[in-house]
């Protein structure tokens, strides 16, 4: 079946953001808990897992992680707000699109295939990164699903697709319903591959060049595995 929607992950899939995330986690600890900086290895592990921002700070905070303390005492709003403020200033300049991102998005637009992004980032951060890199017109803002988007849920739960993207597509004049097999989910972590499965038959593209745990992702048997964004163009062309 031909592809009628491509859902991209953002971090480690369309954009190289590892350095920006790690740097701003470090800055957040320097701001709020300077004596308890996390190890680079643990930060890398959490980025590779696709963990959300709140879960990341809960896992890294010494008063919560492995302590037996009630995590409800952890002020996640303070930590995430501080991180996002620092990210806007110090993280955005470190973000770069992976090779082929611009060309792939342009090709999908020329083929009239809608593009969505489902990310753990806030919508504003994703939209800013796209705009800063000349890709602001590639994805309608209501096709960007991020942290705290109403109706969204964290991958691999399919809520972001069912509750946000399908209504947005309908509002843009696309069909009221869509066969899941016509949806392509592109990402670099276990959460992305499982997200495709949970949509109910969507096809998954695992980006091996990204940040995900390779052994765990391989075990999930994604439909396609690519080493560059350029290879996705071949998958799209072969489906038409």
């Amino acid at each position: 079946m031909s592809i009628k929607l491509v859902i991209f992950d953002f971090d480690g899939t369309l954009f190289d953001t590892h350095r920006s995330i790690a740097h701003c986690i470090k800055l957040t600890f320097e701001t709020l808990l300077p004596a308890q900086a996390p190890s680079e290895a643990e930060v890398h592990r959490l980025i590779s897992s696709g963990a959300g921002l709140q879960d990341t700070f809960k896992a890294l905070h010494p008063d919560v992680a492995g302590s037996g303390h009630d995590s409800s005492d952890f002020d996640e709003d303070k930590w995430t707000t501080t991180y996002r403020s620092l990210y806007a200033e110090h993280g955005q300049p470190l973000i770069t699109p992976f090779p082929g991102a611009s060309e792939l998005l342009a090709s999908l637009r020329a083929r009239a295939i809608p593009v969505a992004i489902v990310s753990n980032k806030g919508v504003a951060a994703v939209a800013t990164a796209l705009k800063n890199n000349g890709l602001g017109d590639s994805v309608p803002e209501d096709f960007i699903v991020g942290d705290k988007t109403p109706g969204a849920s964290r991958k691999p739960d399919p809520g972001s697709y069912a509750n946000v993207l399908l209504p947005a597509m309908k509002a843009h004049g696309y069909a009221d319903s869509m066969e899941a097999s016509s949806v392509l989910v592109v990402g670099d972590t276990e959460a992305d591959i499982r997200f495709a499965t949970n949509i109910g038959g969507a096809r998954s593209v695992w980006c091996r060049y990204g940040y995900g745990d390779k052994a765990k992702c391989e075990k999930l048997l994604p439909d396609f595995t690519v080493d560059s964004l350029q290879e996705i163009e071949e998958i799209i062309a072969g489906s038409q």
Side-chain angles (χ1 to χ4, degrees), residues 147-206:
D147 184 46
K148 296 187 178 179
T149 294
S153 52
R154 196 169 304 285
K155 294 179 287 189
D157 187 278
S160 296
Y161 172 74
N163 302 331
V164 183
L165 291 180
L166 286 181
M169 292 189 71
K170 183 177 180 181
H172 279 261
Y174 294 102
D176 289 352
S177 61
M178 179 182 298
E179 292 289 337
S181 58
S182 67
V183 178
L184 196 67
V185 176
V186 183
D188 68 314
T189 70
E190 297 171 78
D192 299 304
I193 300 170
R194 294 186 187 278
F195 179 58
T197 300
N198 291 343
I199 284 175
R203 286 174 284 179
S204 57
V205 179
W206 173 42

Side-chain angles (χ1 to χ4, degrees), residues 1-163:
M1 184 174 290
S2 63
I3 294 169
K4 297 181 180 178
L5 172 66
V6 180
I7 303 174
F8 287 98
D9 178 47
F10 188 80
D11 298 312
T13 299
L14 278 176
F15 277 68
D16 187 356
T17 58
H18 191 287
R19 188 162 62 111
S20 66
I21 295 170
H23 181 59
C24 290
I25 288 174
K26 178 176 178 288
L27 291 179
T28 302
F29 270 87
E30 287 178 355
T31 301
L32 299 178
L33 200 64
Q36 300 287 344
S39 70
E40 291 184 11
E42 184 64 3
V43 170
H44 175 74
R45 184 189 70 78
L46 289 162
I47 293 174
S48 298
S49 74
L53 196 55
Q54 294 91 338
D55 290 338
T56 294
F57 282 120
K58 283 180 181 179
L60 294 173
H61 197 290
D63 290 340
V64 179
S67 66
H69 293 185
D70 184 356
S71 63
S72 64
D73 294 333
F74 173 69
D75 190 348
E76 67 179 42
D77 285 340
K78 179 179 180 180
W79 280 79
T80 56
T81 299
T82 300
Y83 172 90
R84 290 197 169 114
S85 176
L86 291 165
Y87 197 92
E89 180 178 358
H90 301 283
Q92 285 287 352
L94 300 177
I95 296 176
T96 56
F98 282 109
S102 178
E103 293 82 359
L104 177 58
L105 293 175
S107 174
L108 290 168
R109 188 172 186 175
R111 293 177 184 272
I113 298 174
V115 171
I117 293 174
V118 177
S119 172
N120 289 330
K121 271 185 165 45
V123 171
V126 173
T128 297
L130 290 169
K131 182 179 178 181
N132 288 349
N133 289 275
L135 300 173
D137 295 330
S138 300
V139 187
E141 189 154 326
D142 55 345
F143 279 30
I144 302 174
V145 183
D147 184 46
K148 296 187 178 179
T149 294
S153 52
R154 196 169 304 285
K155 294 179 287 189
D157 187 278
S160 296
Y161 172 74
N163 302 331

